[in-house]
Amino acid sequence: MSQIDEKIDNAVILERVESEDTLEHAIKEEHGGLDETEQPNYHDKETKRILRKVDYRLVPMLTVLYLLAFLDRGNIGNAKVAGMTKTLGMNGEQYNMALTVFFFPYAVFEVPSNVVLKLMRPSLWIMILMVSWGVVMTCQGIVKNYNQLLVTRILLGLTESGFFPA
C-alpha cells in the first residue's frame, strides 16, 4: 500500500471517529478487529518521520544561534578587558547598568514573543529575530558613548527574548 493510500485510509478513519471514540478504536474497526500487534501503526511512523526531519533541519540551526547568543553575552566582558570602559568613558556602575539593562526587555518580551509565534510561521519569526539580532550586534560594535551602549543592550535583550520560545 502506498503512502497516499495510507493517508487516505487514515483520513477516512479520522472522519469516522466520534467524540467518545478513540483513534485506536476506529483503526481497529476499520481493519476488521485486528489486535494491536497485527494492525499497522501509521501514527508512529509519521511521528518518527517528522521528528527526524526536525532533528536534521532545525536543531543544527538552533545550536548555532544559541552558541552565538552565548558568545554575545560573554563578549561584553571581553570588551571591558580590551578597554571599552575607557573608550566610552564609563565607570563601574555604568558598566554594571549596561550588563543589567539587557535582562529587563529579555524577561518582559519573552511572553509576547510566544504570542507572535502563534500568529506567524516559526521559520519567519526566527528569521526576523536573527536579522534584527545581527543588526543590533553590529550597531553595538560601533557605539561611541554610554547612552548608545544602553540602547543597543536594550534592543539586544528585545531581539534575544524570542530565541528560546521560537
Side-chain angles (χ1 to χ4, degrees):
M1 185 180 288
S2 71
Q3 287 184 344
I4 294 173
D5 291 335
E6 289 175 1
K7 289 181 181 181
I8 290 172
D9 284 344
N10 283 342
V12 170
I13 291 168
L14 286 174
E15 288 176 3
R16 293 182 54 204
V17 174
E18 297 175 352
S19 61
E20 66 273 354
D21 286 339
T22 63
L23 179 62
E24 290 82 17
H25 184 267
I27 291 174
K28 191 172 185 179
E29 283 181 5
E30 184 69 27
H31 293 287
L34 300 174
D35 65 14
E36 289 185 21
T37 58
E38 295 175 330
Q39 65 184 345
N41 196 350
Y42 302 116
H43 183 67
D44 288 342
K45 290 178 185 176
E46 191 71 17
T47 302
K48 287 179 183 178
R49 185 185 68 79
I50 291 170
L51 287 176
R52 197 174 329 111
K53 196 176 198 180
V54 167
D55 287 345
Y56 290 144
R57 294 183 181 179
L58 191 62
V59 172
M61 181 185 69
L62 290 177
T63 302
V64 169
L65 284 175
Y66 289 133
L67 175 66
L68 292 174
F70 180 75
L71 288 174
D72 160 56
R73 290 189 191 133
N75 276 342
I76 194 159
N78 295 337
K80 181 182 180 188
V81 170
M84 176 187 73
T85 52
K86 291 178 185 175
T87 304
L88 299 180
M90 295 170 37
N91 60 29
E93 289 178 14
Q94 288 176 327
Y95 175 74
N96 289 337
M97 181 57 77
L99 289 177
T100 306
V101 77
F102 166 83
F103 293 101
F104 296 125
Y106 187 85
V108 169
F109 289 106
E110 205 163 31
V111 173
S113 178
N114 279 335
V115 173
V116 172
L117 191 57
K118 297 271 185 191
L119 298 175
M120 71 173 46
R121 292 188 342 240
S123 59
L124 180 63
W125 183 236
I126 291 173
M127 188 264 315
I128 290 170
L129 290 174
M130 284 176 39
V131 170
S132 60
W133 179 73
V135 168
V136 171
M137 283 300 299
T138 302
C139 291
Q140 187 172 342
I142 59 172
V143 297
K144 300 293 182 197
N145 59 36
Y146 169 69
N147 293 331
Q148 292 174 352
L149 180 64
L150 282 182
V151 169
T152 57
R153 293 293 293 175
I154 290 169
L155 292 175
L156 191 63
L158 177 71
T159 58
E160 277 193 35
S161 68
F163 277 173
F164 288 110

